[in-house]
Amino acid sequence: MKITNYHLFDFLDFDPDYGREESLWKAYKPTKVYEKNGDICIDVPFQKQKQSNEMEADFQYKQEVYTLILRQYGDKIIRLFIDFMDDDNNTTPSEESAMLQMNKSLCKQPLTLMQLGAAENGKSDGWIVYSKDGKQRAIINIREVTIDHWSDLQPAPQETLDIRLFPDGKKEIRLAAYDHFSPPRYDALPLAFCKLGNDNERATISFESKPDECFVGTGERFMKMDLSGQTFYLKNQDGQGVNNRRTYKNIPFYISSRMYGCFYHTSSKSKLSLAGHSTRSVQFLSNYASLDVFLIGGDNVEEIIRGYRDLTGYPTMPPLWSFGVWMSRMSYFEAKEIMEICNQLRTEHYPCDVIHIDTGWFKTDWLCEWKFNETRFPNPQQFIHDLYEMGFKTSLWQLPYVAENAEQIDEARENDYIAPLTHKVVSNGSNFSNLDYAGTIDFTYPEATAWYKGLLRELLSMGVKCIKADFGENIHTDASYKGLDSERLQNLYALLYQKAVFEVTKDVAGEGIAWSRAAWAGCQRYPLHWGGDSASTWDGMAGSLKGGLHFNLSGFAFWSHDVPGFHTLPNFMNSIVDDDVYVRWTQFGVFTSHIRYHGTNKREPWHYPNVADIVKRWWKLRYALIPYILRESKKATRSGSTLMQALIYQYPEDKMCWHIDDEYFFGNDFLVAPVMNSENKRDIYLPKGEWIDFFNGELIVSDGMWIKKENIALEAMPVYVRKGAEIPIYPLPVDCTDQMDMDKTEILKIDDEFSGYRL
């Protein structure tokens, strides 16, 4: 659809030619406000608008009244809920949801009402909402606006819904009650729903945005740090790289520089405009006519993310070995090939913990049947055991679709383990789409989930330690799923899929982990996720970092990426990765929660002989830092922290930090500035504090300053440590984490005596 630059068409998705029987219903002033079971219920009348971009009430139609419910959780979270699909208007917000995993400490606080002043005519101006701790939580304003009338050139404005919310009892978050030019020309609506025919089809809510407000989060967003001015379609899909609007991981949650977060509790395909369609409003449009919104207050980013995790769940601690180096490519194809690589890793003392076998372990490459090729892997259990004895854990690729020619296809169809298609899908043979498969495993159906877990159980019982839960961002939408319609399942699918993988892995292998690509709200509970198919280029590296920073600002603690990028250019499978890209991406990977080498061609360091020694030294640094990584990871599983932190995590009051997307904190103490160009230079911003160069011990006292670095040697990367920090390190060389005795950990004190760490 072409852009019209009118709110009705471009944001609310009305047909500019009015070819559909659709209508907009706008919220008016509340007719009744009352307390019920500790919630505040607001009866809101909605008035139909005439079918025109010039909004005008159509009084031929009777108003429809729906109840907006306010509910307070703990000290800093307020919930807004309204269901336009409920004809009886009796639906109340539920805490039963796949996305919600509410912390036991997050108790519901009863709310009470008090009249808001009184106008001269004796009528109330509205209501103030208080929680039992005496804090103001909302103001519902119905006061008449004071005017000085002199012209009827423009019509009088329609009634509106004016509610100010205080999730933490302090900061005001206001519905966008007055975002219009002239009364008929609206840029945003505080609350409205849309009908298609006689059916309520979609709904919108908008909050006021300030002129200098910045926004971050919303998932793995491959964009600048400040997302203001952007509008996103929250629909998971194959990202096809890390330099475009598509993404595998949409998360309906953002953080504002005004220090609040907003979580839209839905799995529907939605639209989110962060001061994009209108600079005065944050607007949300759900393709399902129901709205469930959590506003989360906090004094800093960590506190807001902790509130989000209190609602949707905390990350689980990954196993120790997962923090080591993972080696992979697309793909290894036989046991002999893998064993030769593992022997060389050990002989040449490249520390490594995981061997990942991608698509090549099946009878036919990409034909996922969850069984080893008997010719190329004649004794898979012994093979996996032999790798384990060498200190290598085995990870296997698979996906959640069943192919037409798969061994399991008849069983899957006969038992509805894959959702029955409503029309026949013609494969295009790309091997990169769910449409190349006969059907999607139906994780809304417990029997299908149990069947799928059984397939993985056989592999895990052989000694496999991790399943790569690839794909899952797309499903067959023209299919009948037992528990949910495909429109609302597509985004949620990643959560159900990864939950199944994580649970069976923990049950059989003893440690919960999955290596996943797609994500939605709640997926942070099942680490870990990687950044998808980036190009092995500088822009691929920069896009990956931006995506990771926003992803970690969306509630996730653990995130990785393919080193040194997944595919090459210009030839997707066969171009050669440049040595400097390989080294610089390695350095970036060392300071990420997890580090995996993967891509369309050779990824082992000896295939890059000019830089192999540099890479080995950085791998050894990675293993030296594992005690620090463990400490920071444990903290992230019980707080709002994350391993890779945008600068605003620690400096939200520094306006510069809301615009920096090419450096980050690694845990609490390291400030990392990757080099992402062949010129070996970059500018570095040091926030206020005392910083020590990790590699030469130089002290820099900053009041918020830029440093221009040039001629940065290929074996070096700018890394700073906070003065006074104590960094636990492992002092001995090892080939894998099995050889680590954590009692031998030493503390590296970053003080006046520290002269730098030698690679």
Side-chain angles (χ1 to χ4, degrees):
M1 189 176 291
K2 293 182 180 179
I3 297 296
T4 69
N5 288 330
Y6 284 101
H7 175 252
L8 186 73
F9 306 126
D10 296 346
F11 190 74
L12 297 181
D13 290 337
F14 276 68
D15 179 4
D17 297 322
Y18 303 109
R20 297 180 297 179
E21 188 185 349
E22 54 189 345
S23 58
L24 171 66
W25 294 71
K26 180 184 178 299
Y28 273 23
K29 287 183 180 181
T31 55
K32 184 179 179 182
V33 179
Y34 53 98
E35 182 272 333
K36 183 178 179 181
N37 298 325
D39 296 332
I40 298 303
C41 299
I42 307 168
D43 287 351
V44 181
F46 290 81
Q47 182 64 57
K48 183 181 182 296
Q49 304 295 297
K50 292 183 179 180
Q51 196 176 47
S52 168
N53 187 52
E54 296 278 323
M55 292 187 194
E56 180 183 354
D58 190 345
F59 292 115
Q60 295 183 67
Y61 290 81
K62 183 181 178 182
Q63 292 182 346
E64 295 186 7
V65 179
Y66 294 90
T67 301
L68 174 66
I69 298 174
L70 304 184
R71 178 178 292 177
Q72 181 75 28
Y73 291 96
D75 190 46
K76 297 182 185 295
I77 299 174
I78 195 165
R79 184 179 192 177
L80 296 82
F81 175 85
I82 190 166
D83 186 2
F84 299 106
M85 302 295 288
D86 179 19
D87 293 334
D88 297 325
N89 204 19
N90 289 322
T91 305
T92 57
S94 171
E95 295 172 6
E96 297 297 321
S97 162
M99 289 168 276
L100 297 179
Q101 193 177 83
M102 288 195 175
N103 193 301
K104 293 179 180 178
S105 65
L106 202 63
C107 299
K108 173 183 170 181
Q109 274 209 58
L111 297 173
T112 58
L113 283 170
M114 180 180 293
Q115 291 286 343
L116 177 62
E120 291 181 2
N121 59 10
K123 293 183 179 179
S124 170
D125 290 339
W127 299 264
I128 301 178
V129 177
Y130 290 99
S131 51
K132 68 176 183 180
D133 57 10
K135 291 183 180 179
Q136 176 180 273
R137 301 298 180 174
I139 296 174
I140 304 163
N141 178 33
I142 60 171
R143 179 183 300 145
E144 294 293 334
V145 177
T146 302
I147 62 171
D148 181 11
H149 182 270
W150 72 276
S151 173
D152 293 316
L153 179 64
Q154 288 288 326
Q158 296 185 55
E159 289 185 23
T160 191
L161 184 64
D162 186 352
I163 300 179
R164 299 102 185 277
L165 301 142
F166 305 85
D168 62 356
K170 297 180 292 185
K171 289 185 289 290
E172 177 187 281
I173 314 301
R174 184 180 183 181
L175 290 183
Y178 302 104
D179 192 350
H180 60 266
F181 170 58
S182 61
R185 298 281 181 91
Y186 285 86
D187 290 325
L189 297 170
L191 196 61
F193 69 92
C194 308
K195 286 180 181 285
L196 185 63
N198 293 319
D199 297 325
N200 295 355
E201 187 193 50
R202 54 198 190 274
T204 184
I205 188 170
S206 304
F207 298 105
E208 184 182 67
S209 173
K210 299 297 185 182
D212 62 345
E213 193 168 355
C214 300
F215 303 94
V216 297
T218 79
E220 191 179 41
R221 202 61 64 192
F222 311 121
M223 294 184 174
K224 298 290 186 181
M225 179 55 55
D226 176 18
L227 298 176
S228 63
Q230 299 289 342
T231 298
F232 306 109
Y233 188 29
L234 302 184
K235 172 190 174 184
N236 281 359
Q237 60 189 128
D238 191 327
Q240 298 176 349
V242 297
N243 299 97
N244 58 71
R245 285 181 173 271
R246 295 181 299 268
T247 182
Y248 319 91
K249 308 176 187 68
N250 287 282
I251 309 298
F253 169 65
Y254 69 82
I255 296 173
S256 162
S257 59
R258 291 165 58 197
M259 284 299 102
Y260 81 92
C262 184
F263 168 47
Y264 299 95
H265 175 219
T266 183
S267 63
S268 294
K269 296 169 187 175
S270 308
K271 193 183 293 186
L272 175 63
S273 182
L274 300 170
H277 277 264
S278 167
T279 60
R280 290 184 291 210
S281 299
V282 173
Q283 303 182 61
F284 181 78
L285 176 71
S286 171
N287 277 8
Y288 187 74
S290 178
L291 294 166
D292 193 7
V293 184
F294 292 86
L295 292 174
I296 306 165
D299 294 327
N300 53 57
V301 174
E302 189 274 338
E303 194 172 327
I304 293 168
I305 291 180
R306 192 189 324 152
Y308 172 74
R309 289 176 179 169
D310 280 341
L311 291 169
T312 60
Y314 281 74
T316 307
M317 183 69 181
L320 166 64
W321 52 263
S322 74
F323 294 102
V325 171
W326 298 48
M327 181 52 64
S328 171
R329 68 165 86 151
M330 182 188 164
S331 167
Y332 303 130
F333 287 96
E334 60 180 344
K336 180 182 177 182
E337 174 191 21
I338 296 168
M339 195 57 71
E340 288 174 352
I341 289 169
C342 289
N343 281 327
Q344 188 163 354
L345 285 167
R346 288 293 180 257
T347 300
E348 299 186 17
H349 297 291
Y350 287 95
C352 181
D353 267 77
V354 185
I355 290 296
H356 172 71
I357 312 173
D358 217 59
T359 66
W361 60 283
F362 307 121
K363 291 180 181 179
T364 303
D365 190 22
W366 280 91
L367 182 58
C368 177
E369 296 180 296
W370 296 277
K371 291 188 176 182
F372 278 92
N373 182 300
E374 296 174 355
T375 301
R376 293 183 275 113
F377 294 88
N379 190 340
Q381 187 162 353
Q382 184 62 49
F383 163 69
I384 294 167
H385 175 75
D386 291 344
L387 289 177
Y388 185 82
E389 289 295 304
M390 295 171 65
F392 292 102
K393 312 300 185 292
T394 304
S395 168
L396 294 179
W397 179 91
Q398 53 81 79
L399 40 58
Y401 318 117
V402 181
E404 188 66 52
N405 299 321
E407 176 183 315
Q408 300 90 352
I409 186 62
D410 290 338
E411 178 188 12
R413 277 203 176 112
E414 290 168 5
N415 294 280
D416 285 349
Y417 297 151
I418 57 175
L421 300 180
T422 56
H423 79 282
K424 183 174 177 58
V425 176
V426 179
S427 171
N428 60 17
S430 72
N431 289 332
F432 287 96
S433 169
N434 65 301
L435 296 181
D436 292 330
Y437 295 85
T440 299
I441 297 173
D442 187 358
F443 290 112
T444 71
Y445 183 33
E447 292 186 27
T449 303
W451 172 77
Y452 171 74
K453 285 184 173 181
L455 297 174
L456 299 190
R457 190 177 297 274
E458 290 188 29
L459 300 168
L460 295 162
S461 296
M462 292 181 184
V464 171
K465 293 296 183 182
C466 180
I467 299 296
K468 180 177 176 179
D470 204 355
F471 290 78
E473 60 278 332
N474 289 321
I475 63 173
H476 290 84
T477 54
D478 290 310
S480 298
Y481 297 89
K482 292 195 181 295
L484 200 63
D485 64 86
S486 62
E487 169 72 20
R488 287 185 290 160
L489 177 59
Q490 178 164 335
N491 287 330
L492 187 65
Y493 190 83
L495 177 61
L496 305 182
Y497 170 32
Q498 291 159 26
K499 180 176 186 287
V501 174
F502 186 92
E503 287 177 346
V504 70
T505 302
K506 185 175 183 179
D507 182 41
V508 179
E511 295 172 306
I513 190 171
W515 187 276
S516 308
R517 187 169 78 172
W520 189 254
C523 282
Q524 73 275 3
R525 305 193 294 257
Y526 310 112
L528 61 116
H529 297 78
W530 100 99
D533 298 340
S534 53
S536 298
T537 57
W538 298 120
D539 50 73
M541 183 177 170
S544 294
L545 175 52
K546 290 174 183 177
L549 291 176
H550 280 295
F551 190 58
N552 285 302
L553 286 163
S554 304
F556 290 75
F558 304 105
W559 173 85
S560 188
H561 43 93
D562 290 338
V563 181
F566 173 71
H567 72 94
T568 50
L569 288 175
N571 188 303
F572 188 91
M573 301 292 289
N574 304 303
S575 293
I576 297 171
V577 179
D578 293 334
D579 282 356
D580 56 352
V581 172
Y582 189 90
V583 171
R584 294 303 190 192
W585 213 312
T586 290
Q587 295 166 342
F588 169 35
V590 165
F591 286 91
T592 312
S593 84
H594 289 76
I595 176 171
R596 184 185 74 156
Y597 287 75
H598 184 64
T600 55
N601 50 22
K602 299 180 180 68
R603 290 295 185 262
E604 299 77 27
W606 48 82
H607 294 297
Y608 304 81
N610 295 329
V611 296
D613 181 63
I614 296 175
V615 170
K616 184 186 291 186
R617 281 184 276 151
W618 280 87
W619 284 20
K620 290 182 176 180
L621 171 61
R622 170 70 184 193
Y623 278 75
L625 291 174
I626 282 181
Y628 172 79
I629 295 170
L630 289 175
R631 186 187 76 183
E632 298 300 299
S633 296
K634 290 174 182 175
K635 178 171 41 175
T637 62
R638 57 179 183 266
S639 68
S641 183
T642 180
L643 268 289
M644 205 167 82
Q645 304 174 6
L647 299 191
I648 59 172
Y649 253 91
Q650 300 188 32
Y651 292 88
E653 74 288 347
D654 186 337
K655 289 191 174 184
M656 182 63 69
C657 292
W658 287 90
H659 301 277
I660 294 177
D661 53 36
D662 62 353
E663 59 183 89
Y664 59 95
F665 290 107
F666 185 56
N668 185 65
D669 295 321
F670 283 97
L671 194 157
V672 182
V675 178
M676 294 185 284
N677 57 70
S678 295
E679 291 75 37
N680 298 317
K681 63 182 182 180
R682 66 156 297 150
D683 295 337
I684 303 164
Y685 183 72
L686 290 179
K688 185 176 181 179
E690 294 182 297
W691 303 98
I692 294 181
D693 187 307
F694 185 60
F695 295 111
N696 67 23
E698 177 189 2
L699 171 66
I700 301 177
V701 180
S702 172
D703 195 31
M705 63 183 290
W706 285 95
I707 298 174
K708 188 176 290 292
K709 288 275 189 177
E710 297 186 356
N711 301 315
I712 303 170
L714 188 58
E715 63 269 20
M717 178 177 71
V719 178
Y720 298 88
V721 198
R722 193 185 308 278
K723 185 179 180 182
E726 296 188 350
I727 309 297
I729 62 165
Y730 199 78
L732 304 174
V734 294
D735 289 331
C736 62
T737 56
D738 287 351
Q739 297 175 0
M740 285 183 161
D741 176 1
M742 290 302 172
D743 289 338
K744 296 180 180 178
T745 297
E746 296 180 355
I747 299 299
L748 191 63
K749 295 185 177 181
I750 311 301
D751 54 20
D752 292 333
E753 304 299 318
F754 177 70
S755 59
Y757 185 91
R758 303 293 180 262
L759 278 174

